[in-house]
């Protein structure tokens, strides 16, 4: 064991003991191959987690919209109405039927049968017959003079859970090959670069398409997979049903895209979707200096509803995902590495008696997608 005097510096540590932090460097390797991962790292959308099973809480304002639930509907004089969710209402709520304009006053609630007792035509608009699935919107509440406190309702935040996933990408070459002079770049550096790109692409695919899972591996230890963003996205889906979306259809979809969340969102777009935007929105598209800021090519589409940053995504390919676009609210998504387990290049991973050198990229991380209503999907276009 070699001895030394004085303060130890990083230069005194043997290479086989060093971990090389690759989080930022790997983001620079062909950034357009994995734009989501690059954007999350560059935009500092990062939340370090301290357990391979991690949670976050989601909450929203109380629901305002419900609907009539009666196949035969209700005549004008009926005051006991079955709805989808009676828990949404409190006595004294004023409720409007947008289709007819009628306003009703809620006087009693039976949450067991989802029945509201109401005063019909509570305003200047006369009561009208109600049909099944008639939308209802709570527009406020009306209270008597001197009345006591009205009913109280509350809702708990929703807990969402995901797992971190261990990503490993090894690379190696013999000592002889390492010492051999070849044309082109040094072989070790070249192989490390390729492995770094593949490592990043593997993470990107998991962050897009992965589903949460857990089992026991062959050595009896836990093995986990992280849920990707598509597994959370169930709202604001425009299914084009094998048609080419028009400018009007896209603008209508953008109403939903920007209904919740930020007024600026990123659209991860397949090559086909990029072409569609180029064709129908040429005068609304402009290139922004994303390559300087975030390292990926970005185009900006400005609509009345909000600003959409379009990023061509090479992994949205094939018969299904080649007809996809994923609109992401970057304020509600985070990259979640396990404590001190962001991407590292670990060197000299070979056995002591091997005449070769093996390195590996290692990351343990997952994704956090909050408030699915702030994100959106467009799919099945041609």
């Amino acid at each position: 064991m070699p001895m030394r005097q004085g303060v130890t510096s990083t230069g005194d540590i043997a290479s086989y003991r060093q971990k090389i932090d690759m989080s930022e460097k790997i983001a620079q390797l062909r950034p357009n191959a994995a734009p989501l991962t690059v954007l999350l790292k560059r935009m500092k959308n990062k939340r370090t987690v301290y357990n391979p099973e991690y949670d976050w809480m989601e909450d929203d304002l109380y629901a305002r919209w419900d609907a009539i639930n009666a196949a035969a509907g209700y005549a004008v004089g009926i005051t006991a109405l079955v709805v989808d969710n009676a828990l949404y209402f409190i006595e004294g709520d004023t409720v409007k039927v947008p289709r007819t304009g009628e306003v009703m006053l809620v006087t009693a609630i039976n949450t067991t049968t989802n029945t509201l007792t109401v005063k019909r035509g509570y305003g200047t608009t006369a009561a009208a017959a109600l049909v099944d699935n008639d939308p209802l919107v709570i527009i406020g509440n009306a209270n008597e003079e001197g009345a006591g406190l009205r009913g109280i309702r509350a809702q708990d935040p929703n807990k969402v859970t995901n797992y971190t996933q261990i990503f490993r990408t090894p690379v190696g070459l013999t000592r002889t090959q390492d010492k051999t002079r070849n044309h082109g770049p040094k072989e070790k550096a070249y192989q490390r670069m390729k492995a770094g790109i593949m490592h990043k692409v593997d993470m990107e695919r998991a962050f897009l398409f992965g589903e949460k899972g857990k089992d026991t591996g062959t050595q009896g230890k836990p093995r986990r997979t992280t849920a990707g963003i598509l597994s959370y996205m169930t709202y604001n889906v425009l299914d084009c049903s094998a048609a080419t979306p028009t400018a009007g259809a896209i603008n209508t979809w953008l109403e939903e895209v920007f209904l919740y969340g930020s007024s600026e969102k990123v659209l991860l777009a397949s090559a086909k979707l990029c072409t569609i935007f180029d064709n129908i929105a040429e005068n609304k598209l402009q290139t922004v200096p994303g390559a300087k800021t975030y390292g990926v090519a970005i185009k900006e589409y400005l609509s009345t509803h909000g600003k959409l940053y379009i990023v061509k995504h090479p992994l949205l390919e094939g018969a299904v995902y080649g007809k996809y676009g994923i609109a992401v609210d970057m304020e509600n998504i985070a990259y979640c590495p396990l404590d001190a387990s962001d991407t590292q290049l670990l060197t000299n991973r070979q056995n002591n008696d091997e005449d070769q050198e093996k390195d590996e990229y290692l990351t343990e991380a997952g994704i956090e997608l909050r408030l699915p209503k702030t994100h959106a999907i467009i799919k099945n276009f041609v």
Side-chain angles (χ1 to χ4, degrees), residues 45-99:
N45 290 35
K46 180 177 176 180
R47 172 198 165 195
T48 300
V49 297
Y50 300 96
N51 192 298
E53 180 176 332
Y54 57 97
D55 310 314
W56 63 93
M57 298 292 183
E58 295 181 353
D59 201 1
D60 200 353
L61 299 177
Y62 299 145
R64 288 277 181 169
W65 288 88
D66 201 34
I68 294 293
N69 188 349
Y74 293 107
V76 172
I78 303 299
T79 58
L81 311 176
V82 177
V83 296
D84 291 337
N85 303 282
L87 278 172
Y88 291 174
F89 301 85
I90 298 176
E91 292 180 20
D93 280 346
T94 51
V95 178
K96 187 154 189 147
V97 185
R99 184 180 63 84

Side-chain angles (χ1 to χ4, degrees), residues 164-340:
T164 57
Q165 182 170 334
I166 300 174
F167 300 90
R168 303 180 67 174
T169 307
V171 59
L173 65 165
T174 65
R175 178 190 53 81
T176 303
Q177 176 59 63
D178 186 36
K179 301 300 182 184
T180 301
R181 295 185 180 182
N182 301 319
H183 294 292
K186 185 73 172 176
E187 188 66 19
K188 180 189 293 185
Y190 179 64
Q191 293 297 335
R192 280 181 173 178
M193 179 194 71
K194 286 204 305 183
I197 294 172
M198 291 306 301
H199 185 80
K200 181 172 61 176
V201 169
D202 283 346
M203 293 170 58
E204 184 87 353
R205 289 187 189 277
F207 295 162
L208 288 174
F209 311 121
E211 293 189 356
K212 185 176 70 173
K214 180 180 178 180
D215 69 354
T216 301
T218 57
Q219 298 180 15
K221 303 293 193 300
R223 174 175 50 198
R224 304 174 184 86
T225 55
T226 194
I229 60 177
L230 285 179
S231 67
Y232 294 108
M233 290 186 174
T234 56
Y235 299 95
N236 308 330
V237 178
L238 174 60
D239 190 331
C240 296
S241 302
T244 301
T246 62
I250 286 179
N251 283 328
T252 300
W253 175 63
L254 290 178
E255 290 181 27
E256 297 184 352
V257 172
F258 290 102
L259 183 60
Y260 301 100
S262 173
S263 61
E264 297 184 359
K265 300 188 180 183
V266 172
L267 176 64
L268 306 174
S270 66
K272 180 64 177 177
L273 185 56
C274 289
T275 299
I276 290 172
F277 267 93
D278 286 342
N279 290 338
I280 68 175
E282 186 175 355
N283 62 337
K284 291 187 177 181
L285 286 174
Q286 59 180 350
T287 302
V288 296
K292 294 181 180 179
T293 307
Y294 303 120
V296 297
I298 298 175
K299 279 192 173 182
E300 177 187 290
Y301 177 81
L302 186 61
S303 77
T304 305
H305 311 294
K307 189 179 295 185
L308 198 65
Y309 295 106
I310 302 174
V311 177
K312 182 179 178 180
H313 203 303
L315 301 184
L316 294 177
E317 58 185 350
V320 176
Y321 294 119
K323 301 174 183 179
Y324 252 71
I326 306 169
V328 181
D329 188 335
M330 298 302 290
E331 292 186 2
N332 288 316
I333 185 172
Y335 167 67
C336 300
L338 187 64
D339 184 28

Side-chain angles (χ1 to χ4, degrees), residues 24-178:
E24 181 60 27
K25 291 182 180 179
I26 200 172
Q28 298 172 5
L29 296 174
R30 284 186 56 188
N32 286 321
L36 176 62
T37 301
V38 171
L39 286 170
L40 291 174
K41 288 176 176 285
R42 292 289 181 85
M43 296 175 70
K44 309 303 181 184
N45 290 35
K46 180 177 176 180
R47 172 198 165 195
T48 300
V49 297
Y50 300 96
N51 192 298
E53 180 176 332
Y54 57 97
D55 310 314
W56 63 93
M57 298 292 183
E58 295 181 353
D59 201 1
D60 200 353
L61 299 177
Y62 299 145
R64 288 277 181 169
W65 288 88
D66 201 34
I68 294 293
N69 188 349
Y74 293 107
V76 172
I78 303 299
T79 58
L81 311 176
V82 177
V83 296
D84 291 337
N85 303 282
L87 278 172
Y88 291 174
F89 301 85
I90 298 176
E91 292 180 20
D93 280 346
T94 51
V95 178
K96 187 154 189 147
V97 185
R99 184 180 63 84
T100 66
E102 176 188 359
V103 174
M104 301 180 287
L105 178 72
V106 178
T107 59
I109 302 165
N110 187 326
T111 57
T112 302
T113 61
N114 276 324
T115 301
L116 306 180
T117 302
V118 300
K119 287 186 177 180
R120 302 288 303 270
Y122 197 77
T124 57
T125 302
L130 300 171
V131 299
D132 190 27
N133 295 319
D134 245 338
L136 307 174
V137 58
I138 301 170
I139 59 174
N141 59 83
N143 303 274
E144 300 175 31
E145 290 187 25
L149 194 66
R150 70 190 303 259
I152 298 174
R153 63 176 174 174
Q155 64 185 19
D156 293 329
N158 182 40
K159 186 179 82 167
V160 186
T161 302
N162 203 359
Y163 296 141
T164 57
Q165 182 170 334
I166 300 174
F167 300 90
R168 303 180 67 174
T169 307
V171 59
L173 65 165
T174 65
R175 178 190 53 81
T176 303
Q177 176 59 63
D178 186 36

